[in-house]
Amino acid sequence: MFRLFMITFGIFGIINTELGIVGILPQVSNVYGISASQAGLLVSLFALVIALFGPFMTLLFSGVNHKIMMIAVLSVFVICSVVGAFAPNYPTLVMARIIPAFLHPVYFSVAFIAAANSVNKDQSMKAVGKVFMGVTAGLVLGIPVTSFVADIFSLRSALLFSGAINAIAMIGIAAFLPSMPVQGRMSYSAQLGILRRPQIWLSLLASTLVMSGVFSVYSYFAEYLGQVTHMSGKQISLMLIVYGIGGMIGNLVAGYVFSKNMIRTALIFPFIFGFIYLMVDYFGRYSISMAILVLLWGIITTIGLNFSQLWITSIATDAPEFSNGLFVSFSNLGITLGTFVGGLFISYIGLEQIAWSGIILLALGAIMIVWRVRLYDMKKSLPH
C-alpha cells in the first residue's frame, strides 16, 4: 500500500507541476515583465508538447526498468523546477517548463503499469483507480496550493514547492519500490502496430471527446460559480474542496464499477454525466443545490478520467506503455479542445449556457463508445 502511495504521490507532483502554474501566472507576468498571454504559454506549450510527443516518448522508453524510469523522470522534474525558480529571464523559464513536459507521459504510463502489477490481476483496475487519486489531487489542489505559497512567500518559493513534492516522491520510490524490469518487451514496430486496429481509433476519439466534455465546463468552474451562482471567493474555494472530495470518492467508485462490467459502465456513464450537466444548467443559480451537484460533478469527472485510460488500454494490453502514452497524449488534446469549445460557448452564447458545451461533447463521445461496442465488444468480454 505504501508503495502504491509513493507512485500516486509522484502523479500528484507531476500534475501539480503542470497545472499549479495556472494559479501564479499573474506573478510570472509581474516578475518577468511580460503580458498575460505570454505567461499563458507556460501552460499551453506544456500541454502541446505532451499531446504531440507523448506516445513516441513512451514508446522510446518502453524497455527501461519501470522503477529506474520513474526515478529518472522525477529527477528531471526536480531539476527543472529548481532551474525555473532561479530563471534569470522568461525564455529560461519556458525551457524549464518544456523539457519535463516531454517526460510527463512516460511517468504516467509506467505508473499505471506499476500500480496494476503491484496487486492481483482482479484488483488491477482498483489499483489504477487509486493512482488516479494523484490526478484528482493535482487538479483540485495544485492551483490553489501553489497560488497560496506564492502569495505568502514568493514566485520562487511556489516553483520550489513543486520541485520539493517531486523530490519526496523520487526518494520514496527509490527507497521502497523493488526493481521493475520489463518482461517480454515488444518491438517498436509491433507496438506501433496497434494503431492499425480500428477500435483503437474509436477508443481514442471517445476518450478525447469525453475529456473535452469534462474540461469544456470544468475549465470555467470558478467563473461559473462566481458569476452565475454568485458565490464569494471563499465559497468557491470551499466548492473546490467539495469537488475534490467527490473526486476521491469517484476514484474508489470507478475502480469498482469498471472491474465489474466495463462495457455497461462505459455505455451508461456519459448519460449520467450529461444529466448532471443538465441539473447544473437548471439549478446553477442556487447555492445549496449547486453544492450537492459539485460533489456529484467531482465523482463523475473522476470516473470519466478513469474511463479515458481504461477504454484505450483495455484493447492494447500487449503494448501497455504505448497505449498509456496514447491516453495521456489524447487526454491533453481533449483538454485543449474542451477549453476552446467552452470558450466559444461563453463568447457566443454566454457563461450561463456553458453546461451545454459539455453535453454536446459527451453526446459525441457516447456515439463513439456505442460504435466501438457494437462493432467489437458485443460478443466478447474485455480484460478485467
Side-chain angles (χ1 to χ4, degrees):
M1 183 61 69
F2 184 73
R3 294 172 179 174
L4 199 59
F5 171 78
M6 294 313 304
I7 295 172
T8 304
F9 195 67
I11 290 280
F12 169 70
I14 287 177
I15 290 291
N16 182 77
T17 302
E18 178 184 4
L19 298 179
I21 193 77
V22 173
I24 57 176
L25 289 180
Q27 288 94 324
V28 172
S29 296
N30 291 333
V31 169
Y32 292 99
I34 58 175
S35 66
S37 60
Q38 285 177 301
L41 289 175
L42 296 174
V43 180
S44 57
L45 287 178
F46 197 103
L48 182 63
V49 168
I50 295 171
L52 293 178
F53 296 96
F56 306 104
M57 294 300 291
T58 54
L59 186 66
L60 180 63
F61 293 106
S62 59
V64 180
N65 184 295
H66 290 164
K67 176 180 178 178
I68 293 174
M69 203 63 245
M70 284 190 284
I71 294 171
V73 172
L74 290 170
S75 298
V76 172
F77 269 77
V78 171
I79 293 169
C80 289
S81 293
V82 174
V83 171
F86 293 94
N89 51 54
Y90 180 65
T92 303
L93 179 59
V94 171
M95 290 305 299
R97 287 281 296 172
I98 290 177
I99 291 172
F102 283 95
L103 294 172
H104 171 291
V106 178
Y107 185 92
F108 266 71
S109 174
V110 172
F112 292 141
I113 296 169
N117 292 339
S118 66
V119 296
N120 294 330
K121 189 174 181 180
D122 61 344
Q123 298 294 313
S124 60
M125 288 187 182
K126 293 181 181 179
V128 172
K130 291 178 180 178
V131 170
F132 258 104
M133 287 187 179
V135 178
T136 306
L139 287 171
V140 175
L141 299 177
I143 295 173
V145 170
T146 304
S147 179
F148 175 78
V149 173
D151 289 338
I152 298 299
F153 300 102
S154 65
L155 173 64
R156 178 173 293 172
S157 298
L159 295 172
L160 290 174
F161 170 72
S162 294
I165 294 174
N166 290 312
I168 293 170
M170 178 188 68
I171 294 170
I173 289 172
F176 297 105
L177 263 66
S179 178
M180 298 178 177
V182 176
Q183 304 293 334
R185 174 180 172 271
M186 294 175 65
S187 66
Y188 292 148
S189 59
Q191 292 184 73
L192 286 169
I194 70 171
L195 295 176
R196 291 195 293 267
R197 303 172 189 174
Q199 59 266 49
I200 278 284
W201 291 103
L202 288 174
S203 300
L204 290 172
L205 285 171
S207 297
T208 301
L209 289 166
V210 167
M211 291 296 290
S212 299
V214 170
F215 281 89
S216 67
V217 186
Y218 178 72
S219 297
Y220 305 97
F221 181 86
E223 289 88 342
Y224 188 91
L225 292 179
Q227 297 180 35
V228 178
T229 316
H230 302 296
M231 289 186 173
S232 65
K234 290 182 179 179
Q235 289 174 317
I236 293 173
S237 297
L238 178 60
M239 288 301 99
L240 279 171
I241 295 173
V242 172
Y243 185 91
I245 292 172
M248 297 300 177
I249 297 171
N251 274 307
L252 300 175
V253 172
Y256 176 78
V257 296
F258 278 113
S259 63
K260 288 294 182 181
N261 192 315
M262 183 189 295
I263 295 175
R264 183 186 303 161
T265 305
L267 289 169
I268 293 173
F269 111 87
F271 297 96
I272 298 175
F273 207 155
F275 178 75
I276 291 175
Y277 276 161
L278 279 175
M279 293 298 98
V280 168
D281 183 68
Y282 190 80
F283 293 105
R285 297 163 186 79
Y286 309 105
S287 297
I288 295 177
S289 58
M290 271 303 292
I292 297 172
L293 286 170
V294 164
L295 179 66
L296 297 175
W297 192 352
I299 293 172
I300 198 68
T301 294
T302 314
I303 293 176
L305 293 173
N306 278 267
F307 161 80
S308 295
Q309 192 260 343
L310 293 170
W311 199 235
I312 295 170
T313 58
S314 64
I315 55 172
T317 54
D318 49 340
E321 290 92 348
F322 185 50
S323 60
N324 274 315
L326 289 171
F327 154 68
V328 176
S329 180
F330 278 81
S331 292
N332 277 270
L333 181 62
I335 292 171
T336 304
L337 174 63
T339 303
F340 174 74
V341 172
L344 287 179
F345 261 75
I346 293 173
S347 298
Y348 292 99
I349 301 176
L351 182 62
E352 296 85 356
Q353 307 299 322
I354 189 66
W356 283 97
S357 68
I359 292 171
I360 292 171
L361 289 166
L362 286 170
L364 294 174
I367 292 172
M368 295 299 107
I369 294 170
V370 171
W371 192 358
R372 177 188 136 174
V373 168
R374 291 196 63 176
L375 289 179
Y376 302 103
D377 300 319
M378 291 294 289
K379 296 182 180 180
K380 64 176 181 177
S381 299
L382 291 177
H384 285 192

